[in-house]
C-alpha cells in the first residue's frame, strides 16, 4: 500500500510540475526579443547568438531572446518569408546571396537600412555586387561557389580531383558525384546560373543533363552534400560554399575545395524584414554585425568576415581560433586579398528567372532522373557498338545519323523517351542498315 | 445513461471534433482547391494519378510496403515460432532485444546503419583492410537498404502478433492434426499458421502502413521518390508555390486513404475470422517444444543474428556519441564528452522541450484518455463505439497527415499553431491511441462491482473514481502513461511540420544536426541520449508490470 | 407494513426485456429472496433497487420515499448496504478501511468509527484481521468482509446478490444460516438474489420466483413448494413429475378435477385455479417423487393407481430412487423404505390426488 501511495504521489507531483513549468518559464521572460530567419549554418547562428547576447547584456544590461529558424536553403527561406506575406515571424533575413535578396527587394518584403560600419564593405568586387546601392541588403560574409572532394576516398579510388566543369563529365567519376536540387539550396541555384551565364542556356542544360547521369544520388541540401562528401559516402560534391571545406577540415574531415574555372562571388547578406515585430533590436543587431566584435563572431561561426579593414593574422594574435584556419584555407590575410576571376554575372537576369530555373531543373531533370539515366546509358552503349562496327569497316552511316539524332533529342530537347527510342532504332539500323 | 455521462461524452466529442475531425476535414478540403483558378474540383487528384511522377511515387510506395511486409514476414515467422514454442535459455532477454526497435526512434536505426554499413563505414573499412574487397560495397543506399532498415524497425510488430498467436492457439488443435497424421511442416502450414492469421494481420497492417508514414528514412538514404518524402518536400520546401502545396496535400490524403482503408479492411477481416474464440481452456504457456540439438543451435544462431542487428543501433550510436572525428576508421579512436557538452551548452532547450511537450501531451492524454476509457467500458452512452473507432483510426493515420492538417487548420482561423502549445497538442492527438488502449484494457479488467460497492456505500461517481477506480487502474494506467511518453518523446513526423524557432525537440534536433549541419557526433549523442531515457522509462515500466510490451501491443492487437 | 414497494418496474436492454412491469413488496424486517434461473431478471431487479441500473418505467419506494418518480436517487443516497456476488472487496485497502469506507463518507467521528467497526467485525467473526489485505484472506473471509462493509452503516435495506455462489458447498451451507440469523437479529429489511432453490428455502421469509422478467409467484418457502403456481415454479423448485393430459371433469366445490392421460382414463387431481380448469383444457399434472406411493401388489383403493416397470433403481442411503416406466412415460419416485423389486420388474404407483396438482 505504501508503495502505491508513493507511486501515486510521485505521479501527481510530476504532472503538476509539468503543468507549472511553462508558467514558471513565462515569468522569467522579461527579455527583449529578436528573430532571425535564413539559411546560414548552425555554427554561424550559434556563434552569432552567443556574441550578440553577450553584447546586448553588456551594452543594454538586459537579456535578449533570440529565435533562429532555418527552414532550409535560400529558396526555402525565401519562400517562407513570402508565405508570411508581410507579417513576418522574424526580424532579420540572415544569409543567402544576392539573387535571393533581390527577389525579396523586388517583392517588397525587406526594407532599406544602412548598418553602422557597413561602409567597410566594398560595393563591388571583380565586377560582382557586394551590397545593394539602396541599402536593402549588405554582405556580411562573402564566399565563392566551389566544389568539394574527399581526398582520402579519391586516392583510394585512384581518381584525380576533377579540375574543370568538363572533367566532371568524365565516365571515371560516374556514381561518385552528388549535388542537391536548386530549390533546396541557393548554392546549387547559383551553380546553375553560373553555367547558364558562362556557357549559354542550351549548353548549360545539356551539361546539367549529362552531369545528372554522373550522380550517385541527389542530396537534400548543400549541407547534406557536405556531410556526404566529408564522410566519404560520395567523394565529390557539387555546389558548395567556399567555407564548407574549411569548416569540415577543422572538424577533422579530409576534404578540399575545388575552385572551378568559372564561378562567382556569393555575397552572403543580411536584411531587415518589412513589418519586423522587433525592428529596434533588429537594427541594433545589424549595427553590431558589422562591428569588429560582430565580424569576429562571423569568423568564429566559420564564415569569412566581410569588412575590408580586418586581417586574419591580427585576429589570430587576438585569439580568434578560426582565423588560423581561414588563413590556411584561403592563403591570404583577408578575403578581399584573394586573386580571382569571375564570370560576368547578370544579377537582374538571375533575379528575374529565379523560380523558373528551379522549376525547370526539378521537372526536366530531377523528376525524370531514372528515364534520363537509362536513356543516356543506352545511347552510350549504342555509340560504343557503332564505333566498334566502324572499326570493323562496316557501313554505319544510317546508324550514326540516328544516334546523333538520339544525342540531340537527349541533350538539347531533354526528351528522354524519344532519345531512347532513337537509340534503339540506331541499334536496329546497325544490324540491318 | 446518466446526464453526467452524456455531457461528458459531448465534451469528449467536442475535443475530438476540434483536434481530429476539424483539421482532417480542412486537409481534405484543401486537397480539392485548384491553385490556378482559385476554385474547386478534383483536378489535383486527376493530375496526381495522371502525372507520371506522382503515379510513380505512389506505386513505389506500394512496392516498398509489399517488400517490407514480405521481408518482415519471412524473417518474423521463424523468429516468432522460436520465441513462442521453443524452450530455451534467455527467453526474456531475446524477446526484449527483438522487440526493442518498437521503442527506439525510427531514425536512430538509419543513422546507426549509415555509420556501420555506409560506403566507408565500419564493415566496408574492415573488409577492405583485410583485403576481401577492393571497392566499398553498397550495403544500404538504395531500395535494398530502405527495405532492410524499415523491416528491422517493423519486425517486432510481426513477431509480437505471431508469437501471441502461436502461444494462444489451443494445443488440442495441433494435437488433433498430429493424431490425424500431419507431419511437422505440414501441420505448421495447414493448421498453426492459418490459425494465427488474425493476430498476424493486426501487426501486418501496421507494417504495411509504415512506408506511407516514414518520410525520413528514404530522405536520408537519398531515395526520395516515395509518397511521404514527396509530401514532405512539397510542403516544407515550398511555401508559395500553391499548386505544389496542394499536390503535396493530395499525396497526404491519398496516403491516408490507403492507410485507413487497409486498416479497416484488416479489422473487418479479423473480426470475421476470430478463430481464437473457438478454443477454450488453453494453458497459459501454450505448446512448448524441446527441439533437437541441431534445430536448437540453429535457432540460437538466428536469434543472435537478429539481436545483434538490433543491438547495433544503440552500440553504434553510443560509440559515435562518445567520440568525434569518427571517419575512415572502423572504430572511433578519439574519445570525448564534447558532444554531450555541446548539447548541454548549445541546446539544452531541446531536452527541455522534449520533456515539456511530451509531458503536457501526457497530461492531456490522461485527462482525455481515462474519461474516454470510462465511457467506452462503463457506460452505454450512444456514440461511444464511434468515439473508440475514431481514436483507434488515429493509429492508421500517417504522422505527416496530422502535421500538415494541423498546419493548415490552426494557422489562420484558429491561430493555435502560432503558440508552442500546438506541439504538445499535436503529440497528444497523434499518440492518443497508445494510451487509450492501455487505459481501456485495464478498465476492462476492473470489476465494475468494485465501483458499485463504493457507490452503494455512499460515494458519488467522482469520489468513487478517485477512491476506487484510479488506485486500481494505476498500474495499467502508469504503463500506458510511460508507453505514451516514449512514443510522444520520439515523435517527429508530425512535429517537423509544426515546430518554429525555439520549439525544437530532441528528434528534430537530431534531424537538423545530421541532415542540415555536419554534426553527426551531436546527432548521435542526442539519439543516444534518447535511447538512454527510453531505457530508463522501460525499466520503470517493467518494474510496474512485467510483460508490458505484450500487454501494450500483443494483447490489444486482436 | 411494506418497506420496499416495487411498482410496475420495466427495464429493457436493447431488444431484450429484462424486467417486464413487475410488482412486489418487501415488508419491514423481512428477508425476501428473488429466485430464478440466470437471465430471469432477478439481478437486474436488485440492481434497480440499489440504483445501479435505471429502470425505463415504474417506481421503487423505499421507506415511503420514491426513488424514481421524484427524481432519480443515486445509490449513494439510498441508505442501502449491498453484498456482491464476487465480494467486490477493494484489493487496495485493508480490511478495516474496506469496512469503514462508508462511515468515513458519512463523516462519522473517528472514535465512533472504531467502535462500530469493532462491533461489526465481531459480528461477522473477523476479529484480529482488520490489518490484512483482502488478498491475504480466504474466499469465505472476504465474503464476511463484504457483509461487514454492508452492515456497518446500519442500512435501512440490505441487498445481497448471490453472495454465496463463489464459495464451496460446505462453507456455503454454513454461511446461509449465519447470514440468516445475523440479518434477523439486526432486523434489516433484505432482498436476496439467488438461483439456488435450496439456499432460497433456507434463508428466506418469503420467496419471489422470477421467470423471463416476470414474478410468477410470491410466497413462503412452504407455500411455493407445496402449491406452485405454474409448471415453471414446480419444475424450478425441487423435482417433480409432469403428466400431460386433458381435463374431462371438474368438481369446483372440492377443487378437484379429473383428467385423461396417455396411460389411464381418469387421474384425479387437485386444482387451485378454477377459472382456467375447464373441460377439454390440455394441462399437466404435477406430482413430486416423494408423494408417489409404491406398492408391490395393487392396493384396495384403485384411484390414481398406475402400473409400471422399474427402469432404474438407485440406492441413495437414506432413500431409494426409481425411474418407473409407465406406458412410455418416466415417473420419478422416491421411497424411504426398502423394496425387493429390481430393475425390469413390475410395480404399482399410487398418485395421491391431494398432492397431484394441475398446472398450466
Amino acid at each position: 500500500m505504501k508503495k502505491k501511495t508513493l507511486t501515486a504521489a510521485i505521479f501527481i507531483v510530476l504532472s503538476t510540475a509539468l503543468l507549472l513549468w511553462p508558467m514558471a518559464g513565462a515569468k522569467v521572460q522579461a527579455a527583449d526579443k529578436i528573430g532571425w530567419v535564413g539559411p546560414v549554418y548552425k555554427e554561424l547562428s550559434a556563434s552569432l547568438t552567443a556574441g550578440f547576447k553577450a553584447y546586448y547584456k553588456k551594452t543594454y544590461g538586459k537579456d535578449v531572446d533570440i529565435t533562429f529558424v532555418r527552414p532550409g536553403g535560400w529558396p526555402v527561406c525565401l519562400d517562407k518569408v513570402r508565405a508570411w506575406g508581410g507579417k513576418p515571424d522574424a526580424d532579420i533575413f540572415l544569409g543567402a546571396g544576392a539573387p535571393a535578396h533581390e527577389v525579396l527587394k523586388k517583392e517588397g518584403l525587406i526594407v532599406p537600412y544602412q548598418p553602422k560600419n557597413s561602409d567597410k564593405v566594398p560595393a563591388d568586387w571583380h565586377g560582382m555586387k557586394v551590397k545593394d546601392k539602396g541599402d536593402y541588403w549588405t554582405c556580411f560574409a562573402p564566399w565563392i561557389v566551389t566544389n568539394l572532394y574527399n581526398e582520402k576516398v579519391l586516392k583510394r579510388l585512384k581518381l584525380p580531383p576533377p579540375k574543370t566543369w568538363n572533367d566532371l563529365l568524365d565516365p571515371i567519376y560516374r556514381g561518385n558525384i552528388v549535388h542537391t536540387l536548386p530549390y533546396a539550396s541557393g548554392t546549387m541555384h547559383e551553380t546553375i546560373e553560373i553555367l547558364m551565364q558562362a556557357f549559354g542556356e542550351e549548353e548549360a542544360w545539356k551539361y546539367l543533363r549529362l552531369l545528372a547521369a554522373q550522380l550517385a544520388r541527389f542530396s537534400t541540401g548543400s549541407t547534406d552534400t557536405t556531410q556526404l562528401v566529408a564522410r566519404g559516402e560520395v567523394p565529390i560534391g557539387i555546389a558548395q560554399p567556399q567555407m564548407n571545406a574549411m569548416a569540415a577540415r577543422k572538424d577533422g574531415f579530409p576534404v578540399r575545395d575545388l575552385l572551378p574555372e568559372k564561378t562567382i562571388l556569393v555575397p552572403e547578406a543580411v536584411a531587415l524584414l518589412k513589418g519586423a515585430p522587433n525592428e529596434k533590436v533588429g537594427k541594433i543587431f545589424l549595427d553590431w554585425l558589422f562591428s569588429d566584435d560582430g565580424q569576429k563572431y562571423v569568423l568564429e561561426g566559420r564564415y569569412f568576415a566581410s569588412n575590408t579593414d580586418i586581417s586574419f593574422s591580427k585576429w589570430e594574435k587576438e585569439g580568434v581560433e578560426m582565423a588560423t584556419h581561414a588563413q590556411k584555407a584561403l592563403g591570404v590575410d583577408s578575403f578581399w586579398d584573394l586573386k580571382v576571376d569571375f564570370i560576368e554575372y547578370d544579377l537582374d537576369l538571375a533575379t528575374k528567372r529565379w523560380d523558373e530555373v528551379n522549376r525547370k531543373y526539378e521537372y526536366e531533370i530531377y523528376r525524370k532522373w531514372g528515364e534520363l539515366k537509362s536513356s543516356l546509358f543506352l545511347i552510350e552503349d549504342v555509340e560504343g557498338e557503332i564505333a566498334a562496327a566502324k572499326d570493323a569497316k562496316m557501313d554505319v552511316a544510317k546508324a550514326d545519323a540516328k544516334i546523333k539524332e538520339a544525342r540531340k533529342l537527349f541533350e538539347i530537347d531533354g526528351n528522354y523517351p524519344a532519345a531512347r527510342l532513337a537509340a534503339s532504332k540506331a541499334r536496329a539500323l546497325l544490324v540491318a542498315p | 445513461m446518466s446526464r453526467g455521462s452524456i455531457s461528458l461524452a459531448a465534451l469528449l466529442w467536442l475535443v475530438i471534433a476540434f483536434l481530429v475531425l476539424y483539421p482532417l476535414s480542412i486537409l481534405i478540403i484543401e486537397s480539392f482547391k485548384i491553385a490556378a483558378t482559385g476554385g474547386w474540383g478534383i483536378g489535383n487528384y486527376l493530375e496526381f494519378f495522371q502525372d507520371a511522377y506522382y503515379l510513380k511515387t505512389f506505386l513505389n510506395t506500394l512496392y516498398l510496403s509489399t517488400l517490407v511486409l514480405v521481408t518482415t514476414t519471412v524473417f518474423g515467422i521463424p523468429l516468432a515460432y522460436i520465441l513462442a514454442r521453443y524452450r530455451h535459455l534467455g527467453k526474456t532477454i531475446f524477446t526484449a532485444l527483438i522487440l526493442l526497435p518498437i521503442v527506439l526512434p525510427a531514425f536512430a536505426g538509419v543513422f546507426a546503419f549509415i555509420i556501420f554499413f555506409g560506403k566507408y563505414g565500419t564493415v566496408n573499412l574492415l573488409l577492405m583492410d583485410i583485403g576481401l574487397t577492393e571497392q566499398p560495397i553498397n550495403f544500404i543506399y538504395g531500395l535494398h537498404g530502405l527495405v532492410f532498415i524499415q523491416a528491422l524497425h517493423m519486425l517486432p510488430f510481426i513477431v509480437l502478433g505471431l508469437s501471441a498467436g502461436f502461444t494462444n492457439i489451443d494445443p488440442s488443435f495441433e494435437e488433433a492434426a498430429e493424431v490425424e497424421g500431419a507431419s511437422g511442416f505440414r501441420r505448421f502450414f495447414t493448421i498453426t499458421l492459418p490459425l494465427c492469421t488474425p493476430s498476424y494481420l493486426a501487426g501486418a497492417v501496421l507494417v504495411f502502413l509504415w512506408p506511407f508514414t516514414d518520410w525520413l528514412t528514404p530522405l536520408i538514404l537519398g531515395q526520395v521518390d516515395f509518397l511521404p518524402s514527396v509530401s514532405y518536400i512539397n510542403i516544407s520546401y515550398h511555401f508559395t508555390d500553391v499548386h505544389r502545396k496542394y499536390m503535396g496535400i493530395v499525396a497526404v490524403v491519398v496516403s491516408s486513404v490507403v492507410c485507413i482503408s487497409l486498416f479497416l479492411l484488416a479489422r473487418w477481416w479479423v473480426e470475421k475470422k476470430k478463430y481464437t474464440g473457438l478454443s477454450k481452456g488453453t494453458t497459459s504457456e501454450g505448446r512448448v517444444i524441446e527441439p533437437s540439438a541441431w534445430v536448437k543451435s540453429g535457432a540460437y544462431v538466428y536469434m543472435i543474428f537478429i539481436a545483434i542487428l538490433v543491438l547495433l543501433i544503440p552500440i553504434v550510436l553510443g560509440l559515435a556519441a562518445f567520440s568525434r572525428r569518427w571517419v575512415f576508421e572502423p572504430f572511433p579512436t578519439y574519445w570525448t564528452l564534447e558532444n554531450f557538452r555541446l548539447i548541454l551548452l548549445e541546446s539544452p532547450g531541446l531536452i527541455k522541450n522534449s520533456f515539456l511537450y511530451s509531458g503536457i501531451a501526457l497530461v492531456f492524454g490522461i485527462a482525455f484518455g481515462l474519461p474516454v476509457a470510462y465511457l467506452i467500458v462503463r457506460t452505454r452512452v450512444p456514440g461511444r463505439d464511434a468515439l473508440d473507432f475514431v481514436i483507434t483510426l488515429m493509429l492508421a493515420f500517417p504522422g505527416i497527415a496530422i502535421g500538415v492538417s494541423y498546419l493548415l487548420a490552426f494557422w489562420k482561423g484558429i491561430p493555435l499553431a502560432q503558440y508552442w502549445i500546438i506541439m504538445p497538442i499535436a503529440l497528444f492527438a497523434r499518440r492518443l491511441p497508445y494510451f487509450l488502449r492501455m487505459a481501456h484494457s485495464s478498465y476492462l479488467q476492473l470489476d465494475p462491482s468494485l465501483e458499485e460497492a463504493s457507490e452503494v456505500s455512499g460515494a458519488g461517481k467522482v469520489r468513487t473514481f478517485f477512491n476506487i477506480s484510479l488506485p486500481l487502474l494505476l498500474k495499467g494506467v502508469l504503463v500506458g502513461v510511460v508507453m505514451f511518453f516514449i512514443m510522444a518523446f520520439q515523435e517527429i513526423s508530425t512535429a517537423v511540420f509544426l515546430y518554429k524557432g525555439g520549439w525544437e525537440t530532441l528528434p528534430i534536433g537530431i534531424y537538423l544536426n545530421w541532415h542540415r549541419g555536419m554534426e553527426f557526433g551531436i546527432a548521435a549523442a542526442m539519439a543516444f541520449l534518447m535511447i538512454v531515457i527510453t531505457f530508463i522509462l522501460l525499466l520503470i515500466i517493467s518494474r510496474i508490470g512485467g510483460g508490458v510490451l505484450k500487454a501494450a501491443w500483443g494483447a490489444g492487437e486482436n | 407494513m411494506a418497506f420496499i414497494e416495487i411498482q410496475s418496474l420495466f427495464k429493457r436492454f436493447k431488444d431484450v426485456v429484462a424486467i417486464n412491469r413487475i410488482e412486489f413488496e418487501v415488508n419491514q424486517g423481512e428477508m425476501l429472496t428473488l429466485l430464478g434461473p440466470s437471465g430471469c431478471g432477478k439481478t437486474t431487479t436488485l440492481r434497480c433497487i440499489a440504483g445501479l441500473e435505471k429502470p425505463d418505467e415504474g417506481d421503487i419506494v423505499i421507506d415511503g420515499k420514491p426513488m424514481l418518480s421524484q427524481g432519480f436517487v443515486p445509490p449513494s443516497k439510498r441508505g442501502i448496504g449491498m453484498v456482491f456476488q464476487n465480494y467486490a472487496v477493494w484489493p487496495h485497502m485493508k480490511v478495516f478501511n474496506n469496512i469503514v469506507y462508508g462511515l468515513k463518507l458519512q463523516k462519522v467521528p473517528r472514535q465512533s468509527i472504531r467502535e462500530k467497526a469493532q462491533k461489526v467485525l465481531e459480528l461477522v467473526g473477523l476479529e484480529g484481521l482488520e490489518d490484512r489485505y483482502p488478498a491475504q484472506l480466504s474466499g469465505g473471509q472476504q465474503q464476511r468482509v463484504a457483509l461487514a462493509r454492508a452492515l456497518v452503516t446500519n442500512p435501512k435495506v440490505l441487498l445481497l446478490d448471490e453472495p454465496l455462489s463463489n464459495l464451496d458447498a460446505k462453507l456455503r451451507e454454513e454461511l446461509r444460516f449465519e447470514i440468516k440469523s445475523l440479518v434477523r437479529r439486526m432486523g434489516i429489511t433484505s432482498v436476496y438474489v439467488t438461483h439456488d432453490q435450496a439456499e432460497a428455502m433456507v434463508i428466506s421469509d418469503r420467496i419471489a420466483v422470477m421467470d423471463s422478467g416476470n414474478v410468477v409467484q410470491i410466497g413462503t418457502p412452504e407455500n411455493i413448494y407445496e402449491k406452485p403456481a405454474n409448471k415453471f415454479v414446480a419444475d424450478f423448485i425441487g423435482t417433480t413429475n409432469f403428466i400431460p393430459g386433458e381435463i374431462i371433469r371438474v368438481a369446483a366445490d372440492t377443487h378437484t378435477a379429473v383428467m385423461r392421460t396417455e396411460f389411464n382414463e381418469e387421474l384425479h387431481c387437485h386444482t387451485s385455479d378454477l377459472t382456467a380448469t375447464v373441460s377439454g383444457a390440455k394441462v399437466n399434472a404435477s406430482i413430486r417423487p416423494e408423494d408417489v406411493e409404491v406398492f408391490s401388489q395393487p392396493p384396495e383403493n384403485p384411484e390414481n393407481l398406475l402400473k409400471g416397470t422399474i427402469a432404474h433403481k438407485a440406492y441413495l442411503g437414506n432413500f431409494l430412487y426409481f425411474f418407473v416406466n409407465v406406458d412410455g412415460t418416466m415417473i420419478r419416485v422416491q421411497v424411504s423404505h426398502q423394496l425387493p423389486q429390481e430393475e425390469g420388474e413390475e410395480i404399482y404407483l399410487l398418485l395421491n390426488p391431494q398432492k397431484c396438482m394441475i398446472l398450466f
Side-chain angles (χ1 to χ4, degrees), chain B residues 1-3 380 384 447-460 463-464 467-469 471-472, chain C residues 11 13-14 47 50 52-54 75-76 80-82 84 86 88-93 101-102 105 107 149:
Chain B
M1 222 183 301
S2 71
R3 200 173 301 142
R380 288 188 281 273
R384 78 207 145 89
D447 193 324
S449 61
L450 290 172
E451 293 165 324
E452 287 166 1
S454 163
E455 282 181 48
V456 170
S457 296
R463 197 184 278 246
T464 296
N467 280 348
I468 307 294
S469 320
L472 291 173
Chain C
K11 170 85 187 167
F13 296 111
K14 285 198 175 141
R47 291 169 60 80
L52 297 170
E53 296 286 353
K54 235 187 218 183
S76 50
I80 49 181
M82 184 159 173
F84 291 82
N86 50 7
V89 175
W90 302 305
H92 62 303
M93 293 182 185
Y101 184 76
L105 289 170
K107 304 240 157 38
R149 182 177 66 192

Side-chain angles (χ1 to χ4, degrees), chain A residues 125-169:
Chain A
W125 191 56
H126 296 279
M128 302 281 310
K129 226 169 145 182
V130 184
K131 63 183 180 192
D132 182 52
K133 283 196 187 72
D135 292 318
Y136 275 90
W137 53 268
T138 317
C139 166
F140 72 98
W143 48 270
I144 296 166
V145 176
T146 65
N147 297 328
L148 194 70
Y149 72 96
N150 187 310
E151 47 182 359
K152 260 196 180 170
V153 176
L154 279 192
K155 206 176 274 170
R156 192 154 220 160
L157 296 172
K158 302 191 181 70
L159 292 176
K163 291 269 184 313
T164 64
W165 287 113
N166 268 321
D167 280 355
L168 289 165
L169 296 186

Side-chain angles (χ1 to χ4, degrees), chain C residues 58-325:
Chain C
D59 203 355
I60 295 164
V61 181
I62 299 176
D63 197 11
K65 276 187 232 85
M67 294 289 123
L68 295 159
S69 56
Q70 294 172 15
F72 177 74
V73 180
S76 50
K77 300 275 182 293
R78 293 195 179 189
I80 49 181
M82 184 159 173
V83 180
F84 291 82
Q85 181 170 9
N86 50 7
Y87 329 134
V89 175
W90 302 305
H92 62 303
M93 293 182 185
K94 285 181 183 169
V95 168
F96 181 79
N97 289 326
N98 256 292
I99 291 174
V100 302
Y101 184 76
L103 294 176
K104 278 186 181 165
L105 289 170
Q106 290 176 0
K107 304 240 157 38
V108 174
R110 188 172 292 184
Q111 189 52 40
S112 169
I113 285 183
R114 246 197 193 274
E115 281 164 18
K116 285 188 178 183
Q118 213 50 54
K119 223 166 93 193
V120 80
L121 278 167
E122 262 167 50
L123 212 59
V124 298
L126 282 177
E127 305 100 315
L129 298 181
E130 50 266 59
D131 279 334
R132 296 229 187 145
Y133 278 106
Q136 298 165 303
L137 300 179
S138 69
Q141 286 171 323
Q142 289 190 37
Q143 192 54 287
R144 285 166 205 262
V145 175
L147 194 60
R149 182 177 66 192
L151 292 174
V152 76
T153 50
N154 217 350
K156 287 185 285 189
V157 175
L158 179 66
L159 305 175
L160 302 107
D161 184 7
E162 308 220 18
L164 304 178
S165 63
N166 280 350
L167 301 173
D168 61 61
K170 233 175 164 175
L171 196 58
R172 196 156 58 209
E173 214 163 298
E174 222 176 275
L175 271 173
R176 271 177 203 165
F177 291 103
E178 231 173 279
I179 290 179
K180 183 177 182 175
S181 64
L182 200 68
V183 171
R184 186 158 288 170
R185 235 187 308 156
M186 296 181 72
I188 304 176
T189 310
S190 322
V191 181
Y192 191 103
V193 161
T194 184
H195 65 271
D196 180 341
Q197 46 109 0
E199 194 169 301
M201 302 290 261
V202 170
I203 213 159
S204 329
D205 293 320
R206 283 194 306 150
I207 295 175
V209 184
M210 289 187 72
D211 178 32
S212 328
N214 293 297
V215 173
V216 278
Q217 189 174 8
I218 301 186
T220 61
E222 298 80 13
N223 186 306
I224 287 194
Y225 189 82
E226 312 248 319
K227 297 200 174 70
N230 61 15
K231 200 179 159 205
F232 171 80
V233 178
D235 195 23
F236 192 76
I237 311 279
T239 323
T240 193
N241 294 297
F242 288 118
I243 301 161
E246 188 186 331
I247 292 172
I248 46 176
R249 270 199 324 274
V250 182
D253 51 339
T254 53
H255 276 266
T256 53
V258 178
M259 60 187 267
R260 182 192 299 130
T261 67
E262 277 172 34
F263 40 80
N264 76 344
E265 279 301 305
E266 292 196 350
L267 188 68
H268 296 259
C269 301
H270 175 87
T271 179
S272 47
D273 189 354
L274 285 170
T275 52
T277 316
V278 289
S279 292
K282 301 255 189 250
V283 294
N284 279 292
S286 153
I287 185 151
R288 301 212 180 260
E290 67 267 26
D291 293 332
V292 180
E293 283 180 72
V294 184
F295 299 94
S296 310
Q297 300 297 320
E300 312 281 288
N301 187 354
E303 199 173 64
N304 283 2
L305 187 71
L306 305 174
K307 188 171 129 188
T309 320
I310 300 175
H312 305 287
K313 176 181 177 182
Y315 173 70
L316 291 173
N318 48 353
F319 55 85
L320 285 172
Y321 209 83
F322 292 92
F323 277 81
V324 180
N325 186 343

Side-chain angles (χ1 to χ4, degrees), chain B residues 107-410:
Chain B
F107 41 83
V110 199
F111 295 147
F113 288 125
I114 284 182
I115 297 174
F116 197 73
F117 287 118
K119 281 263 183 73
Y120 290 90
T122 308
V123 174
N124 266 319
L125 285 171
L126 286 176
L127 285 178
M128 287 190 281
D129 283 352
I130 58 170
L132 267 179
T133 49
E134 274 291 304
Q135 301 272 319
I137 299 167
N138 182 8
F139 285 114
I140 45 167
Y141 295 104
L143 191 62
H144 59 293
L146 197 50
V147 171
F148 164 59
I149 288 170
Q150 293 197 333
L152 189 69
H153 183 64
M154 296 312 278
L155 188 60
F157 289 90
I158 295 287
V159 175
L160 269 176
L162 275 177
S163 66
F166 288 148
T167 311
N168 292 339
I169 294 180
D170 189 329
S172 60
F173 287 140
E174 288 177 323
E175 283 156 8
E178 217 168 340
V179 171
E180 297 285 323
S183 70
F185 269 100
R186 200 192 171 85
R187 189 172 69 238
F188 180 75
F189 284 106
T190 54
I191 307 291
T192 315
L193 213 49
L195 282 174
C196 287
T197 17
S199 53
Y200 163 74
L201 212 62
V205 164
L206 294 180
V207 173
F208 196 84
L209 300 186
W210 180 239
F212 282 90
T213 308
D214 181 21
W215 54 273
L216 186 56
T217 313
L219 216 60
I220 287 173
L221 293 180
Q223 305 277 312
V224 282
D225 293 343
F226 296 97
L227 272 189
S229 312
V230 166
S231 319
Y232 172 71
I233 288 175
N234 262 14
I235 292 164
S236 62
Y237 276 55
H238 302 275
F239 304 102
T240 52
D241 184 345
V242 183
H243 176 64
R244 188 197 286 269
K245 187 175 103 179
Y246 290 154
M247 290 307 289
I249 293 171
V250 167
V252 170
V253 173
V254 169
S255 301
S256 307
V257 168
V258 171
C259 293
I260 296 289
S261 349
L262 281 174
F263 187 77
L264 293 181
L265 201 68
R267 237 171 100 107
W268 170 77
W269 201 85
V270 169
E271 279 305 309
K272 215 180 68 174
K273 301 232 166 180
K274 259 199 176 149
Y275 305 116
T276 37
L278 293 172
S279 66
K280 51 181 177 182
T282 59
T283 55
S284 63
E285 223 200 344
R287 228 171 116 100
V288 177
I289 300 167
E290 182 71 51
S292 72
W294 280 108
V295 175
K296 199 166 187 173
S297 36
Y300 269 118
V301 169
Y302 186 63
M303 279 195 302
I304 290 171
F305 168 69
I306 304 272
I308 285 178
L309 283 182
V310 172
L311 269 181
L312 270 179
I313 300 170
I315 291 176
V316 171
L317 287 175
L319 292 179
F322 289 102
S323 66
R324 277 180 89 77
R325 302 177 193 162
W326 179 15
V327 272
F328 302 107
E329 297 162 335
F331 301 101
T333 46
Y334 177 61
W335 300 97
T336 172
L337 286 174
E338 181 72 5
N339 292 321
F340 292 99
R341 194 185 67 87
L342 286 175
I343 294 174
L344 292 178
L345 195 77
E346 285 176 15
S347 36
L350 264 59
I351 301 171
K352 191 200 87 176
N353 285 346
S354 269
F355 273 103
L356 179 66
Y357 299 158
S358 309
I360 293 177
L362 181 63
V363 174
F364 288 156
I366 297 170
F368 182 80
L370 276 182
V372 171
Y374 166 78
L375 273 191
I376 293 171
V377 179
R378 284 284 185 268
T379 68
R380 288 188 281 273
V381 171
R384 78 207 145 89
D385 291 333
L387 194 68
D388 187 24
F389 179 74
V390 169
I391 294 170
T392 315
L393 224 50
M394 295 295 280
L395 262 184
F397 259 105
I400 262 188
I402 297 167
V404 173
S405 61
Y406 270 43
L407 199 62
L408 295 173
F410 297 121

Side-chain angles (χ1 to χ4, degrees), chain A residues 24 33 44 54 58 63 115 160 165 215 238 277 294 301 309 315 319 337 377 385:
Chain A
K33 281 186 199 160
L44 181 65
K58 202 175 71 194
D63 282 324
W165 287 113
L215 296 183
I238 308 293
D309 61 344
W315 277 5
D337 295 344
F377 296 165
E385 287 160 22

